[in-house]
Amino acid sequence: SGVRENLSYEQFGVAVRELAQSIADDGYQPDVVLSIARGGVFVAGGLAYALDCKNIHLVNVEFYTGVGTTLEMPVMLAPVPNAIDFTDKKVLIADDVADTGKTLKLVRDFCLDAVAEVRSAVVYEKSQSLVKCEYVWKRTDEWINFPWSVQPPVVRRDGQVLDA
Ligand code: 5GP
């Protein structure tokens, strides 16, 4: 279907505060927020401020190549974070959406051995997700347009091609 869930930057601001509130109300105080780039970076920044957590890490995962088209499996791209940094820490994994859940599962499994506790927070979770996140702002099964990726990359106004 052509139906889309559209999230604006303004709605995202509300969503990330509400998501943080549910985490605080639950009594979870993460030592580190681990963001899944690139979409999870926005979520992680908002959550880290709202939860007063000054320790943000980042992992790059590649999976989607287009709307609904994926690689066979998600892969962590270098540099992979050092699991030692998470030893005995309470980790909050932050991402924009758990769709198949494969990306979150990859990152969660990577953390599980080392950390004291790992929980996941997402703005959206789809019903098919194989990881059930502890913290979800909204459930949908539509393709989501996020404000940071709904528009194509900028091009130079003089028509010169970037990187040329
Ligand atoms: P998963 O591994 O859960 O299938 O997908 C995780 C990643 O795929 C998300 O972090 C996001 O970057 C991308 N993705 C999955 N579903 C959607 C969607 O509905 N809209 C957008 N814009 N990206 C999506």
Side-chain angles (χ1 to χ4, degrees), residues 99-148:
D99 189 321
T100 64
K102 287 179 181 175
T103 299
L104 264 168
K105 187 179 186 317
L106 178 76
V107 175
R108 186 189 274 254
D109 288 350
F110 169 79
C111 291
L112 269 178
D113 293 334
V115 305
E117 192 167 2
V118 59
R119 298 189 189 179
S120 304
V122 290
V123 181
Y124 291 99
E125 185 177 278
K126 301 193 183 179
S127 53
Q128 66 168 350
S129 177
L130 57 92
V131 168
K132 302 302 170 199
C133 296
E134 283 79 4
Y135 309 106
V136 176
W137 181 67
K138 189 174 176 183
R139 295 174 196 283
T140 184
D141 286 320
E142 309 300 343
W143 183 263
I144 305 142
N145 285 332
F146 289 102
W148 43 85

Short mmCIF file of all heavy atoms in Angstrom, two decimals, residues 99-148:
data_model
loop_
_atom_site.label_atom_id
_atom_site.label_comp_id
_atom_site.label_asym_id
_atom_site.label_seq_id
_atom_site.Cartn_x
_atom_site.Cartn_y
_atom_site.Cartn_z
N ASP A 99 11.64 -2.72 12.95
CA ASP A 99 10.77 -3.17 11.84
C ASP A 99 10.77 -4.70 11.82
O ASP A 99 9.92 -5.34 12.42
CB ASP A 99 11.26 -2.55 10.53
CG ASP A 99 10.31 -2.78 9.37
OD1 ASP A 99 9.74 -3.88 9.28
OD2 ASP A 99 10.14 -1.88 8.53
N THR A 100 11.76 -5.32 11.16
CA THR A 100 11.92 -6.76 11.34
C THR A 100 12.50 -7.05 12.73
O THR A 100 12.35 -8.16 13.25
CB THR A 100 12.90 -7.35 10.29
OG1 THR A 100 14.19 -6.79 10.52
CG2 THR A 100 12.44 -7.06 8.88
N GLY A 101 13.17 -6.06 13.30
CA GLY A 101 13.83 -6.24 14.59
C GLY A 101 15.23 -6.84 14.47
O GLY A 101 15.93 -6.99 15.47
N LYS A 102 15.66 -7.14 13.25
CA LYS A 102 16.96 -7.80 13.06
C LYS A 102 18.12 -6.89 13.46
O LYS A 102 19.13 -7.34 14.00
CB LYS A 102 17.12 -8.25 11.60
CG LYS A 102 16.26 -9.46 11.25
CD LYS A 102 16.43 -9.86 9.79
CE LYS A 102 15.54 -11.05 9.44
NZ LYS A 102 15.61 -11.37 7.99
N THR A 103 17.98 -5.60 13.17
CA THR A 103 19.04 -4.65 13.52
C THR A 103 19.21 -4.58 15.04
O THR A 103 20.32 -4.70 15.56
CB THR A 103 18.71 -3.25 12.95
OG1 THR A 103 18.62 -3.34 11.54
CG2 THR A 103 19.78 -2.24 13.34
N LEU A 104 18.08 -4.42 15.74
CA LEU A 104 18.14 -4.34 17.20
C LEU A 104 18.66 -5.63 17.81
O LEU A 104 19.41 -5.60 18.79
CB LEU A 104 16.76 -4.02 17.76
CG LEU A 104 16.51 -2.56 18.03
CD1 LEU A 104 15.04 -2.30 18.30
CD2 LEU A 104 17.34 -2.10 19.23
N LYS A 105 18.26 -6.75 17.23
CA LYS A 105 18.71 -8.04 17.77
C LYS A 105 20.22 -8.18 17.65
O LYS A 105 20.89 -8.62 18.58
CB LYS A 105 18.01 -9.20 17.05
CG LYS A 105 18.31 -10.55 17.69
CD LYS A 105 17.63 -11.71 17.02
CE LYS A 105 17.84 -13.01 17.77
NZ LYS A 105 19.21 -13.25 18.25
N LEU A 106 20.74 -7.75 16.50
CA LEU A 106 22.19 -7.78 16.28
C LEU A 106 22.93 -6.99 17.36
O LEU A 106 23.91 -7.45 17.95
CB LEU A 106 22.50 -7.23 14.89
CG LEU A 106 23.95 -7.12 14.45
CD1 LEU A 106 24.50 -8.49 14.08
CD2 LEU A 106 24.10 -6.18 13.26
N VAL A 107 22.46 -5.78 17.61
CA VAL A 107 23.14 -4.90 18.56
C VAL A 107 22.92 -5.38 20.00
O VAL A 107 23.83 -5.36 20.83
CB VAL A 107 22.66 -3.44 18.38
CG1 VAL A 107 23.26 -2.53 19.43
CG2 VAL A 107 22.99 -2.94 16.97
N ARG A 108 21.72 -5.84 20.29
CA ARG A 108 21.41 -6.34 21.62
C ARG A 108 22.27 -7.57 21.95
O ARG A 108 22.84 -7.66 23.04
CB ARG A 108 19.93 -6.69 21.70
CG ARG A 108 19.44 -7.09 23.07
CD ARG A 108 18.02 -7.63 22.98
NE ARG A 108 17.02 -6.59 23.03
CZ ARG A 108 16.25 -6.36 24.11
NH1 ARG A 108 16.39 -7.08 25.19
NH2 ARG A 108 15.36 -5.41 24.08
N ASP A 109 22.37 -8.50 20.99
CA ASP A 109 23.17 -9.71 21.20
C ASP A 109 24.65 -9.34 21.39
O ASP A 109 25.35 -9.98 22.17
CB ASP A 109 23.02 -10.68 20.02
CG ASP A 109 21.65 -11.34 20.00
OD1 ASP A 109 20.90 -11.19 20.99
OD2 ASP A 109 21.33 -12.01 18.99
N PHE A 110 25.09 -8.32 20.67
CA PHE A 110 26.47 -7.85 20.79
C PHE A 110 26.75 -7.37 22.24
O PHE A 110 27.82 -7.59 22.79
CB PHE A 110 26.71 -6.71 19.80
CG PHE A 110 27.98 -5.96 19.99
CD1 PHE A 110 29.18 -6.47 19.54
CD2 PHE A 110 27.97 -4.73 20.63
CE1 PHE A 110 30.35 -5.78 19.73
CE2 PHE A 110 29.15 -4.02 20.82
CZ PHE A 110 30.34 -4.54 20.37
N CYS A 111 25.74 -6.73 22.85
CA CYS A 111 25.90 -6.18 24.20
C CYS A 111 25.74 -7.23 25.30
O CYS A 111 26.37 -7.15 26.35
CB CYS A 111 24.84 -5.11 24.47
SG CYS A 111 25.02 -3.61 23.51
N LEU A 112 24.84 -8.19 25.05
CA LEU A 112 24.31 -9.05 26.11
C LEU A 112 25.36 -9.66 27.03
O LEU A 112 25.18 -9.69 28.25
CB LEU A 112 23.42 -10.15 25.53
CG LEU A 112 21.94 -9.77 25.44
CD1 LEU A 112 21.14 -10.89 24.80
CD2 LEU A 112 21.39 -9.44 26.83
N ASP A 113 26.45 -10.16 26.46
CA ASP A 113 27.45 -10.85 27.27
C ASP A 113 28.12 -9.91 28.27
O ASP A 113 28.31 -10.27 29.43
CB ASP A 113 28.52 -11.47 26.36
CG ASP A 113 27.94 -12.60 25.53
OD1 ASP A 113 26.94 -13.19 25.99
OD2 ASP A 113 28.47 -12.87 24.44
N ALA A 114 28.44 -8.70 27.80
CA ALA A 114 29.28 -7.81 28.61
C ALA A 114 28.51 -7.02 29.66
O ALA A 114 29.02 -6.76 30.74
CB ALA A 114 30.02 -6.84 27.69
N VAL A 115 27.28 -6.63 29.33
CA VAL A 115 26.64 -5.59 30.13
C VAL A 115 25.88 -6.12 31.34
O VAL A 115 25.54 -7.31 31.41
CB VAL A 115 25.66 -4.75 29.27
CG1 VAL A 115 26.37 -4.18 28.05
CG2 VAL A 115 24.45 -5.56 28.85
N ALA A 116 25.61 -5.22 32.29
CA ALA A 116 24.80 -5.56 33.45
C ALA A 116 23.35 -5.73 33.02
O ALA A 116 22.66 -6.66 33.43
CB ALA A 116 24.91 -4.48 34.52
N GLU A 117 22.90 -4.80 32.18
CA GLU A 117 21.52 -4.84 31.72
C GLU A 117 21.43 -4.08 30.42
O GLU A 117 22.10 -3.07 30.23
CB GLU A 117 20.61 -4.19 32.78
CG GLU A 117 19.15 -4.46 32.51
CD GLU A 117 18.24 -4.09 33.69
OE1 GLU A 117 18.75 -3.59 34.71
OE2 GLU A 117 17.03 -4.32 33.56
N VAL A 118 20.61 -4.58 29.52
CA VAL A 118 20.38 -3.87 28.26
C VAL A 118 18.88 -3.82 27.98
O VAL A 118 18.17 -4.81 28.10
CB VAL A 118 21.16 -4.50 27.09
CG1 VAL A 118 20.80 -5.96 26.86
CG2 VAL A 118 20.95 -3.70 25.80
N ARG A 119 18.42 -2.61 27.68
CA ARG A 119 17.03 -2.41 27.27
C ARG A 119 17.02 -1.57 25.99
O ARG A 119 18.00 -0.90 25.70
CB ARG A 119 16.23 -1.71 28.38
CG ARG A 119 16.18 -2.51 29.67
CD ARG A 119 15.22 -1.92 30.66
NE ARG A 119 15.33 -2.57 31.96
CZ ARG A 119 14.61 -2.23 33.04
NH1 ARG A 119 13.73 -1.24 32.96
NH2 ARG A 119 14.77 -2.87 34.18
N SER A 120 15.89 -1.62 25.30
CA SER A 120 15.81 -0.92 24.02
C SER A 120 14.65 0.06 24.00
O SER A 120 13.57 -0.22 24.53
CB SER A 120 15.62 -1.93 22.87
OG SER A 120 16.67 -2.88 22.89
N ALA A 121 14.90 1.22 23.38
CA ALA A 121 13.88 2.25 23.21
C ALA A 121 13.79 2.63 21.74
O ALA A 121 14.81 2.90 21.10
CB ALA A 121 14.21 3.47 24.06
N VAL A 122 12.59 2.63 21.21
CA VAL A 122 12.37 3.03 19.82
C VAL A 122 11.17 3.96 19.73
O VAL A 122 10.26 3.90 20.57
CB VAL A 122 12.12 1.81 18.90
CG1 VAL A 122 13.39 0.98 18.72
CG2 VAL A 122 10.98 0.94 19.41
N VAL A 123 11.18 4.80 18.72
CA VAL A 123 10.01 5.66 18.49
C VAL A 123 8.85 4.79 17.98
O VAL A 123 7.73 4.91 18.44
CB VAL A 123 10.35 6.79 17.49
CG1 VAL A 123 9.13 7.69 17.27
CG2 VAL A 123 11.53 7.62 18.00
N TYR A 124 9.16 3.90 17.03
CA TYR A 124 8.14 3.02 16.47
C TYR A 124 8.55 1.56 16.57
O TYR A 124 9.72 1.23 16.40
CB TYR A 124 7.92 3.31 14.98
CG TYR A 124 7.26 4.64 14.69
CD1 TYR A 124 8.03 5.74 14.31
CD2 TYR A 124 5.89 4.78 14.76
CE1 TYR A 124 7.43 6.95 14.01
CE2 TYR A 124 5.27 6.00 14.46
CZ TYR A 124 6.05 7.08 14.10
OH TYR A 124 5.45 8.28 13.80
N GLU A 125 7.56 0.70 16.82
CA GLU A 125 7.77 -0.74 16.71
C GLU A 125 6.66 -1.34 15.84
O GLU A 125 5.49 -1.04 16.04
CB GLU A 125 7.79 -1.41 18.08
CG GLU A 125 8.13 -2.90 18.03
CD GLU A 125 8.20 -3.53 19.41
OE1 GLU A 125 9.25 -3.41 20.07
OE2 GLU A 125 7.19 -4.13 19.84
N LYS A 126 7.08 -2.16 14.89
CA LYS A 126 6.10 -2.84 14.03
C LYS A 126 5.78 -4.21 14.62
O LYS A 126 6.59 -4.79 15.34
CB LYS A 126 6.66 -2.95 12.60
CG LYS A 126 6.97 -1.56 12.03
CD LYS A 126 7.22 -1.52 10.55
CE LYS A 126 7.59 -0.10 10.11
NZ LYS A 126 7.87 0.00 8.67
N SER A 127 4.59 -4.72 14.28
CA SER A 127 4.10 -5.95 14.94
C SER A 127 4.97 -7.17 14.61
O SER A 127 5.04 -8.10 15.40
CB SER A 127 2.64 -6.21 14.58
OG SER A 127 2.46 -6.20 13.18
N GLN A 128 5.66 -7.13 13.45
CA GLN A 128 6.48 -8.28 13.06
C GLN A 128 7.84 -8.32 13.77
O GLN A 128 8.56 -9.32 13.64
CB GLN A 128 6.73 -8.24 11.54
CG GLN A 128 7.59 -7.06 11.11
CD GLN A 128 8.07 -7.16 9.66
OE1 GLN A 128 7.93 -8.20 9.03
NE2 GLN A 128 8.66 -6.08 9.16
N SER A 129 8.18 -7.29 14.52
CA SER A 129 9.53 -7.21 15.10
C SER A 129 9.84 -8.41 15.99
O SER A 129 9.06 -8.74 16.89
CB SER A 129 9.69 -5.92 15.91
OG SER A 129 10.97 -5.91 16.52
N LEU A 130 10.98 -9.05 15.74
CA LEU A 130 11.36 -10.21 16.54
C LEU A 130 11.94 -9.80 17.89
O LEU A 130 12.05 -10.63 18.80
CB LEU A 130 12.28 -11.15 15.77
CG LEU A 130 13.60 -10.66 15.20
CD1 LEU A 130 14.75 -10.89 16.18
CD2 LEU A 130 13.90 -11.43 13.93
N VAL A 131 12.32 -8.54 18.04
CA VAL A 131 12.70 -8.00 19.34
C VAL A 131 11.53 -7.17 19.86
O VAL A 131 11.02 -6.32 19.14
CB VAL A 131 13.96 -7.12 19.25
CG1 VAL A 131 14.18 -6.35 20.55
CG2 VAL A 131 15.18 -7.96 18.93
N LYS A 132 11.08 -7.46 21.05
CA LYS A 132 10.04 -6.64 21.67
C LYS A 132 10.75 -5.63 22.57
O LYS A 132 11.34 -6.00 23.59
CB LYS A 132 9.06 -7.50 22.48
CG LYS A 132 8.37 -8.59 21.63
CD LYS A 132 7.59 -8.01 20.44
CE LYS A 132 7.13 -9.10 19.48
NZ LYS A 132 6.79 -8.60 18.13
N CYS A 133 10.71 -4.37 22.17
CA CYS A 133 11.43 -3.33 22.90
C CYS A 133 10.72 -3.00 24.21
O CYS A 133 9.49 -3.01 24.27
CB CYS A 133 11.54 -2.07 22.04
SG CYS A 133 12.52 -2.33 20.55
N GLU A 134 11.53 -2.69 25.22
CA GLU A 134 10.95 -2.32 26.52
C GLU A 134 10.19 -1.00 26.42
O GLU A 134 9.20 -0.81 27.13
CB GLU A 134 12.07 -2.19 27.57
CG GLU A 134 12.60 -3.52 28.09
CD GLU A 134 13.60 -4.18 27.13
OE1 GLU A 134 13.95 -3.59 26.08
OE2 GLU A 134 14.03 -5.32 27.43
N TYR A 135 10.69 -0.10 25.57
CA TYR A 135 10.08 1.23 25.48
C TYR A 135 9.76 1.58 24.03
O TYR A 135 10.65 1.59 23.17
CB TYR A 135 11.02 2.27 26.10
CG TYR A 135 11.47 1.87 27.48
CD1 TYR A 135 12.76 1.42 27.72
CD2 TYR A 135 10.56 1.88 28.55
CE1 TYR A 135 13.16 1.01 28.98
CE2 TYR A 135 10.95 1.46 29.81
CZ TYR A 135 12.25 1.03 30.02
OH TYR A 135 12.63 0.62 31.27
N VAL A 136 8.49 1.82 23.77
CA VAL A 136 7.99 2.11 22.43
C VAL A 136 7.06 3.31 22.52
O VAL A 136 6.18 3.35 23.38
CB VAL A 136 7.21 0.91 21.85
CG1 VAL A 136 6.61 1.26 20.49
CG2 VAL A 136 8.10 -0.33 21.76
N TRP A 137 7.26 4.30 21.63
CA TRP A 137 6.36 5.46 21.63
C TRP A 137 5.06 5.14 20.90
O TRP A 137 3.99 5.46 21.37
CB TRP A 137 7.04 6.67 21.00
CG TRP A 137 6.17 7.89 20.99
CD1 TRP A 137 5.75 8.61 22.08
CD2 TRP A 137 5.63 8.55 19.84
NE1 TRP A 137 4.97 9.67 21.68
CE2 TRP A 137 4.88 9.65 20.30
CE3 TRP A 137 5.72 8.32 18.46
CZ2 TRP A 137 4.21 10.52 19.43
CZ3 TRP A 137 5.06 9.17 17.59
CH2 TRP A 137 4.31 10.27 18.09
N LYS A 138 5.17 4.49 19.72
CA LYS A 138 3.98 4.24 18.91
C LYS A 138 4.15 2.98 18.07
O LYS A 138 5.25 2.70 17.60
CB LYS A 138 3.73 5.45 17.99
CG LYS A 138 2.40 5.41 17.26
CD LYS A 138 2.15 6.71 16.50
CE LYS A 138 0.87 6.62 15.68
NZ LYS A 138 0.64 7.84 14.87
N ARG A 139 3.07 2.25 17.91
CA ARG A 139 3.09 1.04 17.08
C ARG A 139 2.42 1.32 15.74
O ARG A 139 1.40 1.99 15.69
CB ARG A 139 2.37 -0.10 17.81
CG ARG A 139 3.10 -0.49 19.07
CD ARG A 139 2.40 -1.51 19.93
NE ARG A 139 3.01 -1.51 21.25
CZ ARG A 139 4.18 -2.08 21.54
NH1 ARG A 139 4.82 -2.76 20.58
NH2 ARG A 139 4.70 -2.01 22.75
N THR A 140 3.04 0.83 14.67
CA THR A 140 2.47 0.97 13.33
C THR A 140 2.99 -0.16 12.47
O THR A 140 4.00 -0.79 12.80
CB THR A 140 2.87 2.32 12.68
OG1 THR A 140 2.21 2.44 11.42
CG2 THR A 140 4.36 2.42 12.44
N ASP A 141 2.28 -0.44 11.38
CA ASP A 141 2.79 -1.40 10.40
C ASP A 141 3.00 -0.73 9.04
O ASP A 141 3.30 -1.40 8.06
CB ASP A 141 1.86 -2.61 10.29
CG ASP A 141 2.00 -3.53 11.50
OD1 ASP A 141 3.15 -3.74 11.95
OD2 ASP A 141 0.99 -4.03 12.01
N GLU A 142 2.87 0.60 9.02
CA GLU A 142 3.11 1.35 7.77
C GLU A 142 4.60 1.65 7.63
O GLU A 142 5.36 1.59 8.59
CB GLU A 142 2.35 2.68 7.80
CG GLU A 142 0.88 2.59 8.14
CD GLU A 142 0.09 1.74 7.18
OE1 GLU A 142 0.59 1.47 6.05
OE2 GLU A 142 -1.02 1.31 7.55
N TRP A 143 5.00 1.99 6.39
CA TRP A 143 6.35 2.54 6.21
C TRP A 143 6.35 3.94 6.81
O TRP A 143 5.42 4.73 6.59
CB TRP A 143 6.74 2.59 4.73
CG TRP A 143 8.16 3.08 4.57
CD1 TRP A 143 8.55 4.35 4.28
CD2 TRP A 143 9.34 2.31 4.73
NE1 TRP A 143 9.93 4.43 4.27
CE2 TRP A 143 10.44 3.18 4.54
CE3 TRP A 143 9.61 0.97 5.04
CZ2 TRP A 143 11.77 2.75 4.63
CZ3 TRP A 143 10.94 0.55 5.13
CH2 TRP A 143 12.00 1.43 4.92
N ILE A 144 7.38 4.25 7.59
CA ILE A 144 7.45 5.54 8.29
C ILE A 144 8.35 6.49 7.52
O ILE A 144 9.47 6.12 7.14
CB ILE A 144 8.00 5.34 9.72
CG1 ILE A 144 7.16 4.32 10.48
CG2 ILE A 144 8.05 6.68 10.46
CD1 ILE A 144 7.98 3.43 11.38
N ASN A 145 7.87 7.72 7.34
CA ASN A 145 8.72 8.79 6.83
C ASN A 145 9.25 9.57 8.03
O ASN A 145 8.48 10.23 8.73
CB ASN A 145 7.94 9.73 5.91
CG ASN A 145 7.69 9.11 4.54
OD1 ASN A 145 8.46 8.27 4.08
ND2 ASN A 145 6.61 9.53 3.91
N PHE A 146 10.55 9.47 8.26
CA PHE A 146 11.17 10.25 9.34
C PHE A 146 11.61 11.60 8.80
O PHE A 146 11.99 11.71 7.62
CB PHE A 146 12.38 9.49 9.91
CG PHE A 146 11.98 8.28 10.72
CD1 PHE A 146 12.07 7.01 10.17
CD2 PHE A 146 11.50 8.42 12.01
CE1 PHE A 146 11.68 5.89 10.90
CE2 PHE A 146 11.12 7.32 12.75
CZ PHE A 146 11.21 6.05 12.19
N PRO A 147 11.58 12.63 9.65
CA PRO A 147 11.89 13.98 9.14
C PRO A 147 13.31 14.11 8.59
O PRO A 147 13.54 14.91 7.68
CB PRO A 147 11.67 14.88 10.37
CG PRO A 147 11.68 13.98 11.56
CD PRO A 147 11.20 12.64 11.07
N TRP A 148 14.25 13.31 9.11
CA TRP A 148 15.65 13.43 8.67
C TRP A 148 15.93 12.68 7.37
O TRP A 148 16.96 12.92 6.76
CB TRP A 148 16.61 12.94 9.76
CG TRP A 148 16.18 11.67 10.42
CD1 TRP A 148 16.41 10.39 10.00
CD2 TRP A 148 15.42 11.57 11.63
NE1 TRP A 148 15.84 9.50 10.87
CE2 TRP A 148 15.24 10.19 11.89
CE3 TRP A 148 14.90 12.50 12.54
CZ2 TRP A 148 14.53 9.72 13.01
CZ3 TRP A 148 14.20 12.03 13.65
CH2 TRP A 148 14.03 10.66 13.88
#
